[in-house]
């Protein structure tokens, strides 16, 4: 089963800024004096003016975020950015157009990464924790909470035993409640900057979302594991 | 020995070049024909249960050992929900530790599993999970023995269950 980890290294935003910071005004982003203060939230100043928690809130307006994202992406189109290039050349910045275009693509990729990371509560939480130096997907880290693992095992076994779409629909609705419940607890923990608790909840949410994905793909007689 | 490693690598790269993401033949073999799948009664005193998870990917693995009066692992069962490498790692470990003493099984290293299955670096955690599973099953068995029935044997097991 393919799994994409959306965890970003702490430095990614500030790292790529070396190449694209001159372009930030193009999408209405003000470059902060300290690159360390630049986060993925900085790409969406209208929707997320307060930045990541605990300054801002964990819950975000996804509709507004999408609108701002699409508008910013449109501005990175080379045709639309031409005048910006001409302007910056007039201001003495004589970077070649090819470099400019490359940096536009880079900016577009950064916007995409920022948006994709922030729309899902799980990857958003992973990112916020990474900003606070906590790696929730550390290679080789262990989970040995027998009660929780026992519950996961039981749910997987129930999916294995499911006979028809009706059984699965029941399991789906049960799991949606678990995902929602865990997300709410995670939101609370993050807004309170309770990182330790948030870390545990991220791991739990990851397990429940895995189960959601298995349930989504369910077909009679499918092989879901052992 | 050296030539065998090279041969393995060439098989692996040949397989990988065919498809963007694929598993080594030995992983596929264990994945398609997993050995010793199932469960034992975790309340039996001659059974040790290891239940472990990999938080990085959301895998869960249960490995159970049955230990005879001589401290030898007589039977092993597993259940794993996770990727192909996690399933193959646990399947292989069940074959590996059957017939071992608890002491021998406790010394099984993830590198042995990773090498046998030619796991790529990104899948090494699957072999670590299998190592943890056997260790945690042994711990569970030993803990049960200390706190559980004072005498060995099946009679004592069913009396305390």
């Amino acid at each position: 089963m393919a799994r994409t980890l959306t965890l970003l290294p702490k430095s990614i935003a500030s790292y790529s800024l070396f190449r694209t910071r001159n372009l930030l005004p193009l999408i209405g982003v003000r470059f902060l004096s300290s690159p360390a203060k630049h986060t993925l939230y900085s790409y969406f100043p209208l929707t997320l003016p307060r930045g990541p928690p605990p300054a801002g809130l964990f819950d975000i307006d996804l509709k507004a975020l999408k609108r701002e994202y699409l508008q910013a992406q449109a501005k990175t189109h080379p045709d639309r950015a031409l005048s910006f290039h001409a302007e910056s050349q007039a201001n003495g910045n004589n970077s070649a157009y090819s470099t400019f275009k490359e940096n536009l693509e880079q900016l577009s990729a950064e916007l995409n990464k920022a948006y994709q990371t922030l729309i899902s509560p799980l990857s958003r939480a992973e990112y916020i924790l990474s900003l606070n130096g906590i790696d929730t997907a550390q290679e080789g880290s262990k989970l040995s909470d027998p009660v929780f693992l026992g519950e996961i095992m039981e749910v997987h076994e129930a999916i294995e035993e499911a006979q028809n779409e009706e059984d699965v629909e029941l399991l789906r609705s049960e799991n949606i409640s678990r995902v929602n419940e865990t997300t709410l607890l995670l939101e609370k923990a993050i807004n309170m900057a309770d990182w330790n608790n948030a870390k545990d909840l991220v791991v739990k949410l990851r397990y429940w979302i895995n189960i959601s994905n298995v349930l989504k793909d369910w077909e009679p007689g499918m092989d879901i594991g052992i | 020995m050296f030539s065998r490693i090279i041969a393995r690598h060439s098989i692996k790269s040949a397989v990988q070049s065919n498809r963007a993401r694929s598993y080594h033949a030995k992983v596929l073999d264990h994945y398609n024909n997993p050995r010793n799948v199932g469960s034992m009664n975790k309340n039996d005193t001659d059974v040790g249960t290891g239940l472990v998870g990999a938080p990085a990917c959301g895998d869960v693995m249960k490995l159970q050992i049955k230990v005879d009066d001589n401290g030898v692992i007589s039977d092993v069962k597993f259940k794993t929900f996770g990727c192909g490498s996690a399933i193959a790692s646990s399947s292989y470990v069940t074959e590996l530790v059957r017939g071992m003493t608890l002491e021998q099984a406790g010394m099984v290293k993830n590198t042995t599993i990773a090498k046998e299955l030619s796991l790529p670096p990104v899948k090494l955690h699957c072999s670590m999970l299998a190592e943890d599973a056997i260790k945690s099953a042994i711990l569970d068995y030993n803990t049960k023995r200390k706190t559980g029935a004072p005498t060995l044997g099946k009679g004592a097991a069913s009396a305390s269950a």
Side-chain angles (χ1 to χ4, degrees), chain A residues 1-3 5 126 136-154 156-157 160-161 202-203 206-207 210 223-226, chain B residues 21 23 30-31 34 37-39 51-62 78-84 87 121-126 128-129 132:
Chain A
M1 196 182 296
R3 290 190 186 100
L5 296 180
E126 285 168 347
T136 55
Q138 207 165 19
E139 195 59 19
S141 60
K142 295 164 196 173
L143 180 64
S144 49
D145 173 347
V147 177
F148 177 70
L149 287 173
E151 199 182 346
I152 295 288
M153 208 68 193
E154 269 171 32
H156 274 297
E157 284 169 350
E160 217 177 20
E161 284 158 18
V202 158
V203 169
R206 200 180 285 137
Y207 270 93
N210 263 358
D223 186 10
I224 58 142
I226 301 297
Chain B
R21 195 178 89 84
Y23 292 109
H30 277 280
Y31 181 73
V37 175
S39 288
L51 188 57
V52 291
C57 47
D59 288 355
V60 59
M61 187 180 285
K62 182 173 81 175
F78 87 97
K79 260 193 181 201
T80 293
F81 295 96
C83 66
I87 290 167
V122 292
K123 290 291 177 186
L124 284 184
H125 65 269
C126 298
M128 291 179 206
L129 198 59
D132 290 342

Side-chain angles (χ1 to χ4, degrees), chain A:
Chain A
M1 196 182 296
R3 290 190 186 100
T4 40
L5 296 180
T6 37
L7 195 84
L8 295 158
K10 197 174 177 178
S11 55
I12 189 153
S14 50
Y15 171 74
S16 52
L17 277 175
F18 287 112
R19 286 179 60 193
T20 58
R21 61 182 282 185
N22 291 332
L23 290 177
L24 290 179
L26 178 70
I27 56 166
V29 174
R30 205 161 45 89
F31 183 70
L32 299 171
S33 52
S34 146
K37 281 186 184 157
H38 254 277
T39 67
L40 298 183
Y41 282 70
S42 313
Y43 292 95
F44 309 104
L46 299 177
T47 316
L48 309 167
R50 292 168 66 195
L57 289 174
F58 178 74
D59 197 28
I60 59 186
D61 182 344
L62 292 178
K63 265 189 190 166
L65 183 71
K66 187 178 183 183
R67 203 180 312 123
E68 188 172 3
Y69 166 69
L70 291 176
Q71 280 169 0
Q73 266 309 9
K75 286 176 190 159
T76 67
H77 192 280
D79 292 350
R80 286 191 60 177
L82 256 181
S83 60
F84 183 83
H85 180 62
E87 216 173 280
S88 67
Q89 285 214 314
N91 289 334
N93 181 349
N94 47 13
S95 68
Y97 182 67
S98 59
T99 315
F100 173 73
K101 221 174 135 185
E102 239 174 62
N103 289 346
L104 273 181
E105 278 165 20
Q106 172 72 26
L107 180 63
S108 169
E110 279 169 28
L111 272 170
N112 186 38
K113 185 85 205 166
Y115 179 65
Q116 297 303 335
T117 304
L118 295 176
I119 44 170
S120 126
L122 178 58
S123 55
R124 192 190 316 145
E126 285 168 347
Y127 175 65
I128 294 166
L129 286 174
S130 78
L131 287 177
N132 290 281
I134 296 164
D135 183 355
T136 55
Q138 207 165 19
E139 195 59 19
S141 60
K142 295 164 196 173
L143 180 64
S144 49
D145 173 347
V147 177
F148 177 70
L149 287 173
E151 199 182 346
I152 295 288
M153 208 68 193
E154 269 171 32
V155 174
H156 274 297
E157 284 169 350
I159 300 171
E160 217 177 20
E161 284 158 18
Q163 298 291 323
N164 48 44
E165 193 62 37
E166 223 169 72
D167 295 347
V168 174
E169 206 41 60
L170 185 69
L171 292 169
R172 278 189 191 122
S173 69
E174 280 173 8
N175 202 57
I176 288 170
S177 319
R178 289 190 200 103
V179 168
N180 291 344
E181 209 175 288
T182 312
T183 307
L184 271 177
L185 290 173
L186 181 59
E187 178 184 349
K188 219 181 264 176
I190 287 185
N191 285 341
M192 287 166 62
D194 181 355
W195 308 131
N196 278 335
N197 201 4
K199 185 183 177 181
D200 289 349
L201 288 162
V202 158
V203 169
K204 287 186 175 175
L205 186 58
R206 200 180 285 137
Y207 270 93
W208 296 133
I209 285 178
N210 263 358
I211 287 175
S212 286
N213 291 336
V214 173
L215 286 167
K216 212 182 284 167
D217 300 336
W218 188 88
E219 280 168 26
M222 78 178 288
D223 186 10
I224 58 142
I226 301 297

